[in-house]
Amino acid sequence: MNWERYLDALSRVPHELAIHIIMVLISLAVAIAVSLPIGVILTRPRFRKLGALVMNILNIFQAFPGMAIIALTMPVLGLGLKPAIGALVVQALLPIARNTIAGLYGVDPNIKEAAQGMGMSEKKVLFEVELPLAMPVILAGIRTSAVYVVSVGTLAAYIDGGGLGNLIITGLNMLWAEFIIVGAGFGALLAIFFDRGLSYVEYKLTPPGFSIIK
Amino acid sequence: MSNLLKYMIENASMILNYANTHFSLIFSAVVISLLVWVPLGILISRNERLASIVIGIANTIFCIPSLALFSVFVTIPFLGLGRSSSLLALVLYAMMPMVINVYQGIKVVDKSVIEAAKGMGMSSRRILREIQIPLAAPVMFAGIRITVVMATGIAAIAAYIGERNLGRLITEGITRNHVEMILSGAILIALIAILFDTVLGAVERMLVPKGLKVRRSN
């Protein structure tokens, strides 16, 4: 153990952590903006058949390993932060779209019919009945994505994306345990922070009586 | 595309070698996790307080980025670079899907079925062995399926800590800027993961008892 190296590693943490958080937040925001509307469109009665098909495809893609996606972006987009964000967006899209579709399908058809019977327009049913009821499932998807993106974000350092992975890689290359521990520790804390924070939001937004059994 | 095929054919023996280590790592990880996590899952299904603690731990471990977990084990002296670190990390990641699926599988068994068994005079151990576990089998198997698919992907990252498996094609391809190498690694890993997922999914559907099938298709 070498205290100077610890200090050296710690002094690099704010910069790398900031890059990591920015990377995660941008890719999550883009992924939500893209896959939420797609999920909503695919569950409309008009596209119902297409929805089932897309759901199956997404299920298959769920098996696609994160590292493969990071590695595949490099030949296409090159090195740097932007390609890393691109790879993370692809990564984050799937769980959100999947959970949006699953959540909207999961809304009791009786409730939708009751809303229609009360004279609500299709739009109103969507925004005031379906989306609030599907919100816990959608948020669970966003949470899965967030944790996943933080995790794969550490790999982004290999394609020059920066972030906490930089510290871990330096540590692995030089066999400096101090760098590994600092980088891995903050990476783990960041992931746990996102997980806990979003699960709190999820808990707060779940309508009473509709909490998912955990 | 033709370059890719050419590369794969020219290096077939190396790729097969890597695939072999990849499979053996996944296989040992899955076997160990079955031995450790299934009994733990059954245990916590009978003790609520323990269950919430264990599930909390499993969820927390699952959050830790894989590169971080792998590299932290490298710094522990008796684990070091290579197989034992990667195996331990994979087994720990398997805790979440395995333990929780076993636990939930046992928990969601219809209460009236259990009561009927009690009424027939079965002891609680016999109920567990003859009713809860068989009925939970499909859910447990879903956990195994998630574990296998996840392990396929995460095992690739173990290439950074000295495992010589398919992930090595990606790591070395990135260092050498060798596109065909990266592509062959990424595509092979993805294909293997998707293959495992499809095959195990089919097995899972076969495992569901006939009477429960209707409920699943809804």
Side-chain angles (χ1 to χ4, degrees):
Chain A
M1 289 287 148
N2 182 333
W3 290 111
E4 264 173 45
R5 243 181 245 157
Y6 263 121
L7 291 179
D8 190 16
L10 281 174
S11 71
R12 282 176 59 181
V13 163
H15 177 68
E16 307 290 15
L17 191 65
I19 291 184
H20 208 108
I21 292 175
I22 290 172
M23 204 156 65
V24 171
L25 288 182
I26 293 179
S27 34
L28 264 187
V30 175
I32 293 171
V34 173
S35 52
L36 207 63
I38 290 181
V40 170
I41 290 171
L42 284 177
T43 48
R44 295 307 94 197
R46 229 175 302 159
F47 298 103
R48 207 150 243 258
K49 275 217 178 103
L50 195 65
L53 182 74
V54 171
M55 191 77 167
N56 280 332
I57 295 174
L58 289 186
N59 275 335
I60 292 176
F61 267 97
Q62 195 77 3
F64 218 85
M67 190 180 170
I69 293 181
I70 289 266
L72 286 176
T73 23
M74 199 194 85
V76 185
L77 296 174
L79 294 168
L81 184 59
K82 272 183 215 156
I85 290 178
L88 293 182
V89 168
V90 173
Q91 205 91 124
L93 284 175
L94 305 179
I96 301 177
R98 209 163 151 244
N99 275 38
T100 309
I101 296 174
L104 288 173
Y105 273 162
V107 174
D108 192 342
N110 291 334
I111 297 177
K112 272 188 271 183
E113 239 166 69
Q116 270 162 8
M118 281 167 64
M120 282 187 174
S121 66
E122 211 175 299
K123 213 185 207 172
K124 237 179 157 188
V125 175
L126 174 67
F127 283 106
E128 290 181 16
V129 178
E130 287 184 86
L131 278 180
L133 286 179
M135 207 33 105
V137 185
I138 298 175
L139 277 170
I142 293 175
R143 183 163 65 126
T144 315
S145 275
V147 172
Y148 207 40
V149 165
V150 174
S151 171
V152 182
T154 54
L155 292 172
Y158 281 106
I159 58 167
D160 225 8
L164 290 166
N166 260 348
L167 292 174
I168 301 178
I169 291 169
T170 313
L172 279 177
N173 286 343
M174 314 292 281
L175 272 181
W176 288 347
E178 298 83 356
F179 271 68
I180 296 180
I181 290 172
V182 170
F186 275 95
L189 282 180
L190 188 65
I192 293 168
F193 170 77
F194 269 104
D195 184 57
R196 289 296 124 85
L198 286 170
S199 78
Y200 179 73
V201 176
E202 204 180 307
Y203 166 77
K204 278 276 156 195
L205 279 181
T206 305
F210 278 92
S211 53
I212 324 165
I213 306 146
K214 283 246 161 132
Chain B
M1 201 62 201
S2 64
N3 275 344
L4 177 66
L5 280 177
K6 205 173 135 215
Y7 175 82
M8 280 164 107
I9 291 164
E10 273 172 5
N11 297 284
S13 70
M14 180 187 77
I15 292 178
L16 277 180
N17 206 350
Y18 285 166
N20 190 14
T21 13
H22 208 109
F23 284 131
S24 76
L25 178 64
I26 299 170
F27 183 74
S28 7
V30 171
V31 170
I32 295 177
S33 356
L34 276 177
L35 291 176
V36 181
W37 303 132
V38 172
L40 183 66
I42 293 173
L43 185 75
I44 61 170
S45 71
R46 332 198 84 197
N47 184 339
E48 275 311 313
R49 225 163 59 85
L50 195 64
S52 65
I53 298 172
V54 169
I55 289 175
I57 294 175
N59 277 331
T60 311
I61 292 177
F62 199 70
C63 285
I64 301 174
S66 27
L67 185 62
L69 195 60
F70 278 126
S71 40
V72 162
F73 287 147
V74 172
T75 64
I76 298 170
F78 59 92
L79 287 170
L81 284 166
R83 186 45 64 103
S84 37
S85 299
S86 21
L87 203 54
L88 183 62
L90 283 181
V91 170
L92 282 178
Y93 276 123
M95 185 178 182
M96 206 286 278
M98 290 275 221
V99 170
I100 290 181
N101 275 46
V102 171
Y103 170 79
Q104 279 187 341
I106 291 178
K107 279 281 156 188
V108 298
V109 171
D110 199 341
K111 287 266 167 5
S112 51
V113 177
I114 295 170
E115 240 162 65
K118 248 186 220 159
M120 281 165 65
M122 280 190 176
S123 67
S124 73
R125 185 171 292 174
R126 222 175 132 203
I127 291 178
L128 180 72
R129 209 178 50 228
E130 292 182 13
I131 291 173
Q132 288 180 307
I133 292 181
L135 282 179
V139 186
M140 287 185 194
F141 196 81
I144 299 174
R145 177 181 168 195
I146 298 170
T147 308
V148 172
V149 174
M150 186 193 69
T152 314
I154 296 181
I157 297 165
Y160 285 117
I161 60 163
E163 269 288 318
R164 303 184 64 82
N165 60 25
L166 291 172
R168 186 108 186 168
L169 293 171
I170 297 179
T171 58
E172 245 175 65
I174 291 177
T175 335
R176 291 199 217 160
N177 207 359
H178 192 321
V179 177
E180 281 83 28
M181 204 168 173
I182 302 177
L183 277 175
S184 55
I187 291 174
L188 279 176
I189 294 168
L191 277 182
I192 293 172
I194 292 169
L195 190 77
F196 272 140
D197 194 47
T198 332
V199 171
L200 292 174
V203 178
E204 190 186 321
R205 271 193 294 281
M206 272 161 32
L207 272 178
V208 181
K210 256 194 192 135
L212 295 178
K213 264 191 185 143
V214 191
R215 205 185 293 167
R216 284 226 131 190
S217 61
N218 275 345

